[in-house]
Amino acid sequence: MEVFIISTFSSKYFGWLASLLVVLAAGWFLLPTGYVTLVEWLAPVMGNYVRPTFVMVNILVVNQLGNLLMVAIWIIAGLVGGIMSGTKKGGILIAFLTWFSCIGIGIFCLIQFLLPVMEGTITLSLPPIPPGTSLADVLSIPLVQSFVSDLPGLLASMAGGGSGPDVVGLVMSVAVYVLSPLIIAIIAGIVGAILRPKEEF
């Protein structure tokens, strides 16, 4: 019985580690060109946490229709967690822990990213855009493209009726983007558990 409990725990633990590693490694090495441009532009001023912060933003804020690469990465991570866990509950748990771990890492990176500004140790004067890059690269970021596509509706709500911007709609859109990785990973985790059921003792 003790061996079974240890085996169950270890499968979930290593499944979580593997799933988290998939997301972080893929997010780091497959960072979109627009984010890379921002990193090269801002890192000399903002410090070493620029790239980790943008990596976590790209990982966590996912437009499921506009960022298919991150959707695929979260599917793979969910499948890995579900397969290693071998149970549907384990796949769901690993998916949640992976997503929640990314939230924690993202908050830490964001704080470290903003800390020099809050402490006043750096100025907000930006260096010139690095050679070979342009603002067009920034516009290619999936999240920026999503914002640009939503901008006309936001401006229309501000101009029409004098009721101001649709803040609730904007917050809901961001919430959907943030929750999308979790939902995708949970579904993939369940599928992964079905593909490789856990052995029965």
Side-chain angles (χ1 to χ4, degrees):
M1 183 64 178
E2 291 181 358
V3 174
F4 174 74
I5 294 175
I6 293 174
S7 176
T8 301
F9 172 78
S10 62
S11 65
K12 291 181 175 62
Y13 176 73
F14 287 111
W16 164 69
L17 284 181
S19 181
L20 184 61
L21 180 61
V22 167
V23 173
L24 294 180
W28 183 273
F29 290 107
L30 299 177
L31 192 65
T33 303
Y35 282 117
V36 174
T37 298
L38 286 177
V39 170
E40 294 176 351
W41 187 19
L42 299 178
V45 175
M46 301 297 294
N48 296 328
Y49 279 91
V50 174
R51 185 181 180 96
T53 300
F54 285 134
V55 166
M56 299 314 300
V57 169
N58 186 52
I59 286 174
L60 288 168
V61 188
V62 178
N63 178 356
Q64 62 274 22
L65 298 179
N67 194 352
L68 297 180
L69 178 60
M70 280 312 306
V71 170
I73 291 170
W74 277 104
I75 290 175
I76 294 172
L79 286 173
V80 169
I83 290 172
M84 294 188 69
S85 170
T87 65
K88 296 177 183 178
K89 290 182 180 179
I92 294 173
L93 177 62
I94 290 174
F96 177 79
L97 289 177
T98 301
W99 175 80
F100 192 74
S101 299
C102 288
I103 291 285
I105 296 171
I107 292 174
F108 173 79
C109 291
L110 182 61
I111 292 174
Q112 296 300 316
F113 174 72
L114 296 176
L115 198 58
V117 178
M118 294 185 292
E119 292 179 345
T121 56
I122 64 172
T123 62
L124 291 179
S125 58
L126 295 177
I129 298 178
T133 62
S134 67
L135 290 178
D137 295 332
V138 178
L139 294 177
S140 69
I141 296 174
L143 188 60
V144 174
Q145 291 179 342
S146 300
F147 176 76
V148 171
S149 64
D150 294 340
L151 188 59
L154 181 62
L155 293 176
S157 67
M158 293 175 64
S163 58
D166 185 7
V167 178
V168 175
L170 184 61
V171 171
M172 289 299 296
S173 296
V174 174
V176 169
Y177 290 164
V178 173
L179 291 175
S180 290
L182 175 61
I183 297 171
I184 293 168
I186 286 176
I187 295 173
I190 294 173
V191 173
I194 294 173
L195 292 176
R196 184 181 180 276
K198 195 174 182 65
E199 295 86 355
E200 296 183 2
F201 293 91

